[in-house]
Amino acid sequence: MSDFVVGISGGIGSGKTTVTDLFAGYGIEVIDADVIARQVVEPGTPALKAIVAKLSESVLNDAGTLDRAKLRTLVFKDLALKDWLNQLLHPAIREQMLLQTQQAQSPYCLLSVPLLVEGGLYQEVNRVAIVDLDEQTQMQRALQRDKTNQQQIRAIMAAQATRAERLAVADDVIDNSGTPADLAPQVKQLHLNYLRLANRS
Ligand code: ADP
């Protein structure tokens, strides 16, 4: 069981996945909040049942899975519905995240949460690592990956913590302004440090 949890975050397109893949290469378990957010509304879950009870089966795809695009459209128009949904999903996601960190078998584990800073969860992990780069490069990489427009990425960035807010809570900063190859030595050094810290805790 991992008693030592490193929360890792960064803005959209900052390189969180690229970085956590490198930690995973050392056998470190990565718990991803985005993955859990999908798991808690899989068919048969209490959360999906509650959503269908409130909004009817029209929010389901033919396969019985949640039609996320449809739900997003409904929530976009209705703030009260958005609040209701957050109150339903946030505790479920949080509970799963804690459970999965407790069940992790590696010497320490990573909890990858896009909104680690915004949601206050950074206060509950043993260590905070932030993947950092300038906003212009972040925009370019997010655009290239998501094949969307600047406006959409800008809206997501505006809803996230600022670079300064993230850096203010960071114990460790991973600089991803260079090439992917520049990440490996940084991750290696942090990994060795986390092993030491986890042994002590
Ligand atoms: P996040 O998970 O934080 O949204 P990703 O790890 O998916 O970010 O990285 C965003 C995009 O940028 C991906 O397409 C990824 O391959 C690319 N990328 C990540 N790091 C670098 C880098 N140092 N140089 C160039 N491209 C990168």
Side-chain angles (χ1 to χ4, degrees):
M1 171 170 128
S2 294
D3 283 332
F4 195 79
V5 180
V6 179
I8 185 160
S9 194
I12 178 175
S14 60
K16 290 181 295 298
T17 313
T18 311
V19 167
T20 54
D21 283 351
L22 290 170
F23 279 99
Y26 288 109
I28 297 305
E29 288 186 44
V30 179
I31 294 127
D32 184 330
D34 282 343
V35 173
I36 292 179
R38 286 193 290 273
Q39 287 172 344
V40 298
V41 290
E42 275 171 4
T45 55
L48 186 58
K49 284 183 188 147
I51 292 168
V52 171
K54 188 164 180 80
L55 298 171
S56 89
E57 293 200 348
S58 66
V59 291
L60 298 180
N61 291 305
D62 290 344
T65 56
L66 183 63
D67 185 339
R68 299 177 150 272
K70 182 150 193 185
L71 187 64
R72 251 197 312 274
T73 313
L74 291 173
V75 163
F76 188 68
K77 290 187 291 197
D78 187 342
L79 269 183
L81 180 62
K82 185 178 180 181
D83 282 345
W84 177 85
L85 200 64
N86 283 341
Q87 276 169 31
L88 174 76
L89 296 182
H90 286 177
I93 293 169
R94 187 187 178 80
E95 190 185 324
Q96 266 305 313
M97 284 195 305
L98 294 178
L99 189 72
Q100 292 190 21
T101 57
Q102 282 162 7
Q103 287 174 345
Q105 297 296 315
S106 49
Y108 67 90
C109 68
L110 289 186
L111 183 59
S112 178
V113 188
L115 303 182
L116 186 75
V117 180
E118 298 82 339
L121 200 67
Y122 69 92
Q123 290 165 311
E124 292 179 48
V125 291
N126 300 96
R127 190 101 183 160
V128 173
I130 294 295
V131 185
D132 180 61
L133 78 175
D134 64 276
E135 279 131 355
Q136 202 183 339
T137 316
Q138 179 189 359
M139 169 67 83
Q140 279 167 4
R141 289 186 189 159
L143 271 177
Q144 223 162 33
R145 183 195 57 187
D146 295 346
K147 314 260 180 286
T148 171
N149 57 47
Q150 253 189 3
Q151 210 181 351
Q152 208 159 22
I153 304 285
R154 201 164 280 135
I156 294 172
M157 282 170 68
Q160 295 184 335
T162 62
R163 186 180 184 192
E165 284 166 341
R166 270 192 292 268
L167 290 177
V169 302
D171 295 302
D172 303 302
V173 178
I174 300 163
D175 174 12
N176 194 20
S177 58
T179 68
D182 295 332
L183 289 171
Q186 298 182 68
V187 168
K188 182 175 183 185
Q189 198 171 10
L190 285 176
H191 170 62
L192 294 175
N193 195 29
Y194 295 155
L195 284 178
R196 260 194 306 272
L197 291 171
N199 263 333
R200 253 191 254 151
S201 70

